[in-house]
Amino acid sequence: MKQYILYIVFGFSLLSCKTDKKTTSDSLASTAVIDSVKVPSQEKPKSLKEKLIGKKYNQLSNIKELEKYSTGWFLLRERNSDSGIYIIKCNEKNGNLKVVISKGFDESSEQNIILDLIEIEEFTKSMSQEEINNLDIFSDILIVNERVSNLIALAVYEEAEVINKVYKIWRVNLKTGKFEEVKDISGITVVNEDY
């Protein structure tokens, strides 16, 4: 008789284990599964250059990032060619300049695309605000008194026909639409088109 009681107790304990497993597996099946935890993006904000390059526009004033700038432009082109690249000078009231290369510049065209950008502030960090206010962009460049095409210069504006105080020179690559910094600026002067 004792054996029967032991068998009965043992049988109940087995049944209770099966029931626990069953309820445990059912309850797990009905719970939501979390397979990953999303961490907030750690991407750094895009620079102005990253925001603008490749951007199409039909009017510069429609580009939010350039709203506070007054703009002027000039065309650089190969000799004996009608096509070229437009250089757009964006000037803020406090003297900060940005220079943009654009593939087209018909105000109503959808073909206007920003190809490259120079943020002049990068090169003027050590200057006073007064010095910055006197800077301008020029496209009529002389190397040892010989005119050179496809260059632009950052220079101090002077009331003179030729400007000698040149800070930076960039070559405008008309094929790639990119600015290429010219390291050696010795012998370079600028013709003041406005004089």
Side-chain angles (χ1 to χ4, degrees):
M1 178 97 164
K2 283 185 181 181
Q3 290 177 342
Y4 290 117
I5 293 176
L6 282 175
Y7 287 127
I8 291 172
V9 171
F10 183 69
F12 278 124
S13 64
L14 282 176
L15 284 174
S16 68
C17 288
K18 280 187 178 180
T19 305
D20 285 347
K21 281 186 180 179
K22 187 174 183 183
T23 56
T24 305
S25 65
D26 286 344
S27 64
L28 285 176
S30 66
T31 59
V33 177
I34 299 173
D35 58 350
S36 67
V37 176
K38 290 191 176 182
V39 178
S41 176
Q42 297 294 325
E43 289 181 27
K44 66 177 186 173
K46 284 185 173 181
S47 69
L48 183 62
K49 190 170 188 172
E50 291 169 320
K51 287 180 187 175
L52 290 180
I53 290 182
K55 190 167 199 162
K56 289 185 176 184
Y57 66 92
N58 58 359
Q59 289 187 332
L60 281 174
S61 58
N62 292 345
I63 299 176
K64 182 182 74 165
E65 291 84 1
L66 298 178
E67 284 175 346
K68 62 184 178 181
Y69 294 90
S70 61
T71 56
W73 58 273
F74 49 90
L75 175 67
L76 290 183
R77 62 178 170 220
E78 297 285 353
R79 286 188 187 159
N80 303 321
S81 172
D82 292 333
S83 64
I85 287 184
Y86 286 91
I87 306 300
I88 302 162
K89 181 178 70 171
C90 305
N91 195 17
E92 200 174 12
K93 286 179 183 174
N94 67 1
N96 288 333
L97 288 167
K98 303 208 182 306
V99 184
V100 175
I101 291 182
S102 174
K103 187 168 147 184
F105 200 69
D106 176 355
E107 279 293 322
S108 61
S109 174
E110 289 297 319
Q111 301 302 311
N112 297 337
I113 299 172
I114 295 175
L115 302 175
D116 203 1
L117 167 83
I118 299 173
E119 294 187 73
I120 303 300
E121 292 94 330
E122 291 178 37
F123 307 101
T124 59
K125 289 177 184 169
S126 62
M127 294 181 177
S128 71
Q129 190 60 50
E130 187 178 334
E131 289 174 310
I132 292 170
N133 291 343
N134 290 324
L135 291 175
D136 208 346
I137 298 294
F138 298 89
S139 62
D140 199 353
I141 313 299
L142 304 173
I143 298 180
V144 192
N145 297 324
E146 293 286 326
R147 276 198 164 75
V148 182
S149 60
N150 303 344
L151 293 180
I152 64 167
L154 176 65
V156 174
Y157 181 84
E158 298 173 23
E159 289 292 331
E161 189 175 339
V162 176
I163 297 171
N164 295 309
K165 200 163 187 181
V166 177
Y167 282 102
K168 288 282 180 191
I169 298 285
W170 292 272
R171 182 174 318 287
V172 180
N173 187 323
L174 297 180
K175 288 187 174 73
T176 65
K178 299 291 181 189
F179 290 110
E180 299 166 351
E181 189 175 344
V182 175
K183 299 289 184 189
D184 182 13
I185 63 171
S186 58
I188 293 181
T189 54
V190 172
V191 176
N192 184 354
E193 300 97 344
D194 297 331
Y195 183 71

